[in-house]
Amino acid sequence: MRILLRSREIAPPKSHPLKKTLKSRKINNNNNNNNPTPSKTQPQLSKDSEQLVSRGGGGISLRRSGRLAKRGQGIIIKSDLNAVVDKMKFQQVVLVGNNEDDDKVWIFDSGNNNLSINGEEVKSGSGGKRKCGGDGGGPGLDSKKSKVVDCENGMLEDETSLEVDRVSDSYSDTDSCKKGSDDSTLKADDSGLDMAKRAKESDSVEVIDLDELDMRQSLIGSTGDRNGKENTYKDSESVSLGLSIGGWRSTRRRVRVEENESDELVSNVRDADEVDKETKPSLSGETGDGDTLETMETSLGLGRRKYSREEKGKGILDLNLPPEEQPEPKLGVDPVELNLFPVEENPAKDFSDSTQDAATSLIQLQEAAESESARQRARLSVRSKAHRRRGDRNRFQDVAKHSGPKFAHFHAEEEEEEINVAAPSADELPEIEDWPGPFSTAMKIIKDRSTKLNGRQVTLTQGSSKTTPVIQWMPSTDRNRNPMKPFVPSLQDLCVSLLAKNAEAIVSLKNVPDDLRNTLTKLLCDSRKMDSHVMNLLVAESPDVVRVKDCSWMTEEQMSKTFGECDTSKLVVLQLDLCGRCLPDYVLRATLARSPKSLPCLAAVSLRGACRVTDAGLSSLVASAPCLRSINLGQCSLITSTGIDTIANSLGLLVRELYLDDCQSIDVMLILSALKKLKCLEVLSVADMETVCDDFISGDFSIGHIANGCPLIEKLKLCRNTLSDEAIAAFLEASGESLTELSLNNIKKVGPNTAISLARRCTRNLLTLDLSWCRNLTDEAVGYIVDGCLSLRLIKLFGCTQISNAFLDGHSNPFVRIIGLKTTPILEHLNVFDPLEGPLRYSSVPIS
Amino acid sequence: MNKEETVKLISAEGFEFVIDKKAAMVSQTIRNMLTSPGSFSETQHGVVRFPEISTTILEKICQYFYWSLQFTSGKETEFHIEPELTLELMMAANYLHT
């Protein structure tokens, strides 16, 4: 027995004698005199199978009770079509389930005010006859565009009942038809479906009310994908009756299950302006969870307690108001909050915002007065399919988790709250500089900029207390973009690939220039074909440059053997990234750092990922390599600030590049003094270090200091930390001019201030800019940056899905390559730049 | 092939390869040699010498030029390279910036 249910309570004008109870009330089905004309009769409730209750007075209100439905009980439909609801009539379909033997499908077409049962029209009210069920019904339903609420029962489980199938078909049709229509579809129908299904098993008829909020949610949700439905439940407004929510959800879930994951339930809700409905939370006991069940039971009371509208927490949904301004329902009782979906509320809310916008029809709900007594509820005893529901629930939770962020809007203020930056107050920390350096001056300017603009503009961000400067940038409409030419593989690339494929056949790499070697090893590492044979080739005969970007394959023995025999006297650049496995301190001492003179020429060293190297090993390395100018110690988790002090003490005047990405044991605040000693620092990378915060960058400390003391900094990586927009902007103002590469990857707060500073200060030198995952940037901001930074060649925008084609098509920088947005080919950026990355890219030390 | 549209590439052993200018331009190095505003003898006579590149390699390079033109015009085939040539060919290609 299927039940398609749509319940929308429009205006329950008066109480119905045939109120539902939890008990079995079956709605009389078929071709009898249940003409649920909206304003007229009430179909009688017969006790045996289905009952369709329609209330006069104009609205159709349907209650859903999944449990009842489940039991095969009828669903009493209250249909109160508002007189106002004229064109926009709901079409409500209620399928009342009943015992197996009596499968009937009731479809009430509110638009036409007729009820069709089992595909035949029972009666047509105001409109013409319309077949709801059957194939005719589908398109027929559709024809009434705006108001048709279709139940989708395509998802109904395989029922043998013809009617249901027919209806299913029709609904599937309508569903597909609906997709063409621009009306919002009410996904709430799931619950109807649920009901239907449940009715199959349940014994009692339930009157199903959908809380209007729920309905709205579901309506809203319906426009999104089905997954979005889950999210709508989380809307805080629908907390009014937790159980209702739960019930609602559960019905949905239930429906899902039975849908066999086919189509969505679609119900089209016609334009709400005229539709006035109230829906109540379904009290169906679909919730498999015991808690919901109990809450439902308890709050409902078993039996027929009627709640006032206030108690039910119904509110009025005014379609003309944005969701935030909807009048909140006042709750007489405490809402029971069911946290069935651990999805953030805000994403759901935003989701509902967005979908509501997309929805063309919304329900308008009437005032409480009407609904007070009009509600009928059926209380159902819950029959839980706990297991199935739980499974569903988990599934839906996953779905919600996945789809929620899809619709979530970025809330800047949320993010800020979440990030607990334990920034020491300025008072506590000793003043290092007494005089305002360029950084603090710049900081002030940025702040003033914000306050100036504050007076002039209205901030649009929700609830944001900060005002952000608005960037005026219009995308240009000039459409002269060069078409893409087919990419011809160069001969060099072809050869290198061939060599990489047959690396074992290479006998010698003598005379091969270093950059070709590097390309080859890079390719080998990427394709995981690097081995000690090639390694030996690389280190043979006193190489100048050994760059292996992935040494994870190497064992300690191999390392000892290879580098034990290697003549490192001419080694200028050594890169052994990801050498954690093979390079503990003792191997380091045995090979590279074997004597204080073992690395006399070494200018650049990269030991990224050397997770077994400690401060002691580092100091022995530093002792052996007196000319070091570039040190990359990314991800060396054992290095602490002591190691950095060692570097600073012995190499303070030489070190130009220092990479300390993701060194977990380093607290950047502690290395400030060491950093100050590095007078020639050109490159500092403190990406991914949690301790980098505004104070690190602020006027008195560190990078602020670097801004003041190392004005020539060329490459800066400040990724994934909590720096604020103003701080970065101020830093750029102060020292950004010499920057050639800047990475602000995943610094969430990057925003317009940074954009403005970038465009103003970094015009001449900035070559690459990484703004991936900076979701606060708008099209205007990025366009402004790109048009302003004339030397910009590469901008990375991974994860910035908020950037649209307006930027892509509209920016006027002909040379810049944009990678990371979904319209740009993702691997082309690998061909963009010189593959020589890493140490000493910018310094004057030549890499041969 | 008129004279105006061809260039001559001379290998280390003295072999002369006469190819279309358009094909030779695939190599950035040759292109710069031939189109630079300075008065290179290459520009004037349309002859480029490669004393470090052996004949077999240079021949292969010329084949690559034509293959590349073909590729850009749409016909995308595979360019086969004999393994023993690969290392040298790579170095020559690196030099010729092709």
Side-chain angles (χ1 to χ4, degrees):
Chain A
M1 173 64 211
R2 295 190 204 162
I3 296 181
L4 284 185
L5 164 75
R6 216 138 299 228
S7 66
R8 247 162 274 182
E9 190 130 340
I10 303 176
K14 49 197 181 218
S15 60
H16 244 274
L18 302 175
K19 299 271 169 138
K20 292 272 158 150
T21 65
L22 279 170
K23 288 305 179 153
S24 56
R25 224 182 270 193
K26 317 248 173 138
I27 295 183
N28 253 344
N29 57 5
N30 4 355
N31 321 318
N32 45 23
N33 27 353
N34 289 341
N35 296 332
T37 49
S39 30
K40 301 185 192 153
T41 61
Q42 308 165 359
Q44 298 98 21
L45 300 173
S46 74
K47 290 283 181 176
D48 56 294
S49 45
E50 304 133 333
Q51 277 182 344
L52 178 67
V53 175
S54 74
R55 288 179 18 167
I60 296 182
S61 62
L62 300 176
R63 275 179 194 232
R64 262 193 271 184
S65 167
R67 280 181 251 176
L68 274 180
K70 186 172 63 154
R71 290 209 190 151
Q73 297 173 355
I75 298 175
I76 298 178
I77 306 165
K78 292 193 287 182
S79 57
D80 296 319
L81 274 183
N82 233 348
V84 184
V85 182
D86 207 11
K87 297 173 186 184
M88 319 242 218
K89 291 193 177 128
F90 263 119
Q91 186 159 23
Q92 298 190 352
V93 176
V94 171
L95 292 189
V96 181
N98 69 355
N99 316 337
E100 260 70 358
D101 48 318
D102 213 347
D103 288 331
K104 301 282 194 299
V105 170
W106 288 55
I107 300 162
F108 182 74
D109 179 356
S110 64
N112 291 331
N113 292 332
N114 52 10
L115 173 76
S116 65
I117 298 168
N118 297 344
E120 303 166 30
E121 272 216 352
V122 171
K123 165 186 166 154
S124 72
S126 52
K129 287 205 172 189
R130 280 182 38 153
K131 285 199 172 230
C132 291
D135 298 320
L141 284 175
D142 251 0
S143 60
K144 217 168 214 204
K145 277 211 179 132
S146 49
K147 315 294 187 329
V148 174
V149 169
D150 295 320
C151 286
E152 286 188 6
N153 52 358
M155 291 49 85
L156 292 178
E157 33 185 339
D158 234 348
E159 296 285 346
T160 53
S161 83
L162 288 175
E163 298 85 1
V164 182
D165 289 337
R166 247 189 299 150
V167 176
S168 315
D169 294 342
S170 77
Y171 284 115
S172 319
D173 294 343
T174 54
D175 183 32
S176 44
C177 295
K178 292 283 166 45
K179 298 210 162 100
S181 80
D182 55 350
D183 303 320
S184 69
T185 57
L186 174 60
K187 308 261 162 129
D189 292 330
D190 288 354
S191 44
L193 219 40
D194 259 345
M195 300 311 240
K197 292 183 188 181
R198 265 175 281 165
K200 189 178 190 170
E201 302 130 39
S202 58
D203 304 309
S204 59
V205 169
E206 46 197 39
V207 176
I208 294 144
D209 276 347
L210 290 179
D211 184 77
E212 65 265 24
L213 298 173
D214 265 342
M215 184 58 88
R216 176 168 77 87
Q217 302 304 323
S218 35
L219 289 176
I220 291 168
S222 65
T223 48
D225 64 359
R226 152 153 93 178
N227 300 334
K229 286 187 219 174
E230 311 307 322
N231 291 335
T232 61
Y233 291 123
K234 281 302 287 189
D235 190 290
S236 47
E237 295 173 60
S238 54
V239 175
S240 55
L241 275 182
L243 39 94
S244 59
I245 296 169
W248 177 253
R249 287 193 190 125
S250 58
T251 40
R252 280 185 178 250
R253 260 178 278 137
R254 174 69 184 249
V255 174
R256 287 275 157 74
V257 176
E258 309 188 336
E259 291 169 3
N260 299 327
E261 323 213 343
S262 52
D263 339 308
E264 319 172 23
L265 295 177
V266 175
S267 73
N268 284 336
V269 178
R270 293 319 173 204
D271 268 318
D273 302 7
E274 304 152 55
V275 169
D276 204 8
K277 296 175 210 282
E278 273 183 15
T279 59
K280 287 209 180 163
S282 72
L283 301 176
S284 75
E286 267 289 300
T287 69
D289 15 336
D291 51 345
T292 330
L293 203 56
E294 270 95 50
T295 51
M296 278 172 71
E297 302 266 11
T298 47
S299 50
L300 286 183
L302 295 164
R304 328 176 170 202
R305 186 168 157 229
K306 297 201 176 83
Y307 289 108
S308 69
R309 187 197 159 92
E310 304 303 324
E311 283 176 318
K312 292 180 209 161
K314 292 198 176 203
I316 309 295
L317 176 65
D318 182 4
L319 294 169
N320 297 322
L321 299 177
E324 298 83 42
E325 296 175 32
Q326 293 292 345
E328 293 284 346
K330 298 169 197 48
L331 300 178
V333 296
D334 285 342
V336 175
E337 169 122 13
L338 297 176
N339 195 6
L340 293 179
F341 291 106
V343 177
E344 286 228 356
E345 282 201 7
N346 275 319
K349 194 177 231 162
D350 295 327
F351 171 72
S352 59
D353 293 346
S354 56
T355 48
Q356 183 167 6
D357 296 340
T360 56
S361 57
L362 294 171
I363 308 172
Q364 196 169 28
L365 306 169
Q366 270 198 347
E367 263 303 339
E370 300 173 305
S371 54
E372 279 279 339
S373 51
R375 299 301 146 75
Q376 297 182 10
R377 287 231 207 144
R379 319 285 196 250
L380 295 176
S381 54
V382 176
R383 186 185 305 208
S384 61
K385 302 247 173 196
H387 177 64
R388 180 148 61 149
R389 288 197 205 108
R390 250 176 245 126
D392 296 341
R393 184 160 33 104
N394 293 334
R395 187 155 57 90
F396 298 145
Q397 283 177 6
D398 289 341
V399 150
K401 277 182 211 155
H402 290 137
S403 56
K406 196 161 54 168
F407 299 105
H409 291 179
F410 176 76
H411 280 288
E413 62 275 8
E414 263 175 73
E415 300 275 341
E416 285 163 25
E417 288 152 18
E418 288 165 5
I419 300 170
N420 277 333
V421 179
S425 68
D427 303 332
E428 296 166 7
L429 294 163
E431 290 282 334
I432 299 184
E433 282 177 298
D434 317 75
W435 54 279
F439 181 82
S440 2
T441 321
M443 192 71 174
K444 282 203 203 83
I445 296 175
I446 303 271
K447 293 212 159 103
D448 290 341
R449 187 199 283 164
S450 302
T451 43
K452 255 189 295 182
L453 289 171
N454 203 354
R456 279 192 261 141
Q457 70 201 26
V458 177
T459 120
L460 298 177
T461 57
Q462 292 184 20
S464 166
S465 53
K466 281 195 214 164
T467 51
T468 55
V470 166
I471 293 177
Q472 310 291 336
W473 176 78
M474 298 304 299
S476 77
T477 49
D478 185 8
R479 298 263 154 189
N480 311 340
R481 309 264 309 185
N482 294 331
M484 301 275 295
K485 284 190 266 188
F487 179 69
V488 187
S490 77
L491 187 56
Q492 181 177 329
D493 291 342
L494 291 173
C495 294
V496 170
S497 336
L498 190 58
L499 281 177
K501 265 202 314 191
N502 303 313
E504 64 278 359
I506 305 177
V507 171
S508 163
L509 286 176
K510 194 171 162 191
N511 293 334
V512 177
D514 287 325
D515 48 355
L516 289 179
R517 284 182 179 205
N518 297 334
T519 318
L520 177 62
T521 45
K522 183 162 188 280
L523 194 53
L524 284 171
C525 290
D526 285 342
S527 50
R528 306 291 300 172
K529 286 179 162 199
M530 190 67 191
D531 59 5
S532 52
H533 166 71
V534 182
M535 194 72 181
N536 288 329
L537 292 177
L538 286 177
V539 303
E541 302 188 15
S542 241
D544 296 329
V545 171
V546 173
R547 296 179 72 132
V548 184
K549 76 180 233 192
D550 180 0
C551 295
S552 52
W553 51 271
M554 195 150 57
T555 65
E556 285 180 33
E557 296 80 33
Q558 287 170 331
M559 176 77 192
S560 314
K561 190 159 180 296
T562 307
F563 281 91
E565 301 165 348
C566 164
D567 179 10
T568 56
S569 55
K570 292 202 199 141
L571 200 56
V572 175
V573 175
L574 176 64
Q575 177 184 3
L576 293 173
D577 286 348
L578 300 185
C579 58
R581 175 182 171 198
C582 60
L583 200 59
D585 276 354
Y586 56 88
V587 174
L588 183 61
R589 288 209 194 91
T591 57
L592 295 172
R594 352 168 217 240
S595 75
K597 296 211 177 101
S598 59
L599 297 165
C601 306
L602 192 64
V605 69
S606 170
L607 293 175
R608 281 188 75 90
C611 49
R612 294 168 75 185
V613 172
T614 66
D615 290 338
L618 179 62
S619 52
S620 62
L621 178 66
V622 164
S624 310
C627 306
L628 271 182
R629 312 235 203 118
S630 162
I631 305 173
N632 188 332
L633 294 171
Q635 296 180 335
C636 293
S637 358
L638 296 179
I639 306 287
T640 70
S641 49
T642 320
I644 310 301
D645 286 335
T646 320
I647 295 177
N649 289 334
S650 39
L651 300 170
L653 297 173
L654 290 176
V655 168
R656 295 220 167 93
E657 302 181 348
L658 184 59
Y659 296 79
L660 297 172
D661 308 348
D662 207 9
C663 289
Q664 302 295 332
S665 307
I666 294 184
D667 181 350
V668 293
M669 309 306 288
L670 295 177
I671 62 169
L672 294 184
S673 57
L675 290 177
K676 274 197 245 163
K677 289 192 201 150
L678 301 174
K679 300 256 183 289
C680 303
L681 197 63
E682 288 174 10
V683 175
L684 175 67
S685 175
V686 285
D688 235 346
M689 297 187 64
E690 298 163 347
T691 49
V692 174
C693 57
D694 267 3
D695 282 328
F696 187 69
I697 200 176
S698 72
D700 294 337
F701 304 109
S702 189
I703 291 203
H705 163 75
I706 291 181
N708 294 333
C710 310
L712 299 173
I713 195 156
E714 291 182 16
K715 176 176 167 182
L716 187 59
K717 267 181 85 170
L718 292 171
C719 310
R720 206 174 285 118
N721 51 43
T722 59
L723 291 171
S724 71
D725 191 26
E726 282 91 359
I728 300 178
F731 171 73
L732 289 171
E733 293 281 342
S735 331
E737 208 157 353
S738 51
L739 273 180
T740 54
E741 184 168 322
L742 177 63
S743 174
L744 298 174
N745 191 320
N746 219 317
I747 300 185
K748 297 195 178 80
K749 297 186 189 171
V750 165
N753 278 316
T754 310
I756 293 176
S757 300
L758 275 173
R760 284 172 31 164
R761 295 291 281 170
C762 306
T763 55
R764 266 184 299 132
N765 287 320
L766 194 61
L767 288 175
T768 38
L769 182 58
D770 185 356
L771 293 171
S772 300
W773 302 100
C774 295
R775 298 196 57 84
N776 241 349
L777 291 173
T778 60
D779 278 335
E780 285 79 20
V782 183
Y784 194 63
I785 294 173
V786 167
D787 285 349
C789 296
L790 302 169
S791 311
L792 195 64
R793 291 292 172 268
L794 179 66
I795 181 164
K796 290 188 192 166
L797 291 168
F798 289 98
C800 289
T801 51
Q802 78 278 12
I803 307 289
S804 70
N805 283 336
F807 160 70
L808 283 175
D809 296 332
H811 75 86
S812 321
N813 190 331
F815 303 112
V816 72
R817 255 196 114 113
I818 304 163
I819 57 174
L821 295 177
K822 55 181 186 276
T823 57
T824 54
I826 196 166
L827 289 178
E828 280 202 20
H829 75 283
L830 297 176
N831 297 319
V832 170
F833 268 140
D834 190 12
L836 276 187
E837 280 183 57
L840 293 184
R841 185 168 168 188
Y842 300 105
S843 172
S844 52
V845 171
I847 302 180
S848 55
Chain B
M1 303 208 309
N2 357 347
K3 185 108 177 23
E4 288 317 310
E5 293 173 7
T6 63
V7 291
K8 194 190 288 188
L9 309 181
I10 305 180
S11 74
E13 288 92 9
F15 268 80
E16 298 177 356
F17 295 90
V18 179
I19 58 173
D20 285 329
K21 219 177 207 175
K22 202 166 156 224
M25 296 294 206
V26 172
S27 154
Q28 272 300 100
T29 316
I30 299 179
R31 178 194 291 248
N32 293 340
M33 285 184 193
L34 294 177
T35 59
S36 67
S39 56
F40 289 116
S41 62
E42 289 92 356
T43 329
Q44 291 170 354
H45 302 116
V47 174
V48 189
R49 292 175 197 278
F50 296 108
E52 333 66 49
I53 303 182
S54 73
T55 310
T56 33
I57 302 296
L58 193 54
E59 180 182 16
K60 201 71 192 170
I61 288 176
C62 294
Q63 287 177 10
Y64 173 78
F65 290 155
Y66 282 99
W67 177 85
S68 171
L69 290 182
Q70 202 182 53
F71 196 96
T72 43
S73 72
K75 189 167 170 205
E76 301 184 7
T77 54
E78 196 195 318
F79 184 67
H80 177 70
I81 303 174
E82 283 80 12
E84 54 273 10
L85 296 179
T86 315
L87 209 54
E88 283 189 54
L89 190 60
M90 178 178 75
M91 293 196 276
N94 183 38
Y95 171 70
L96 287 177
H97 206 134
T98 170

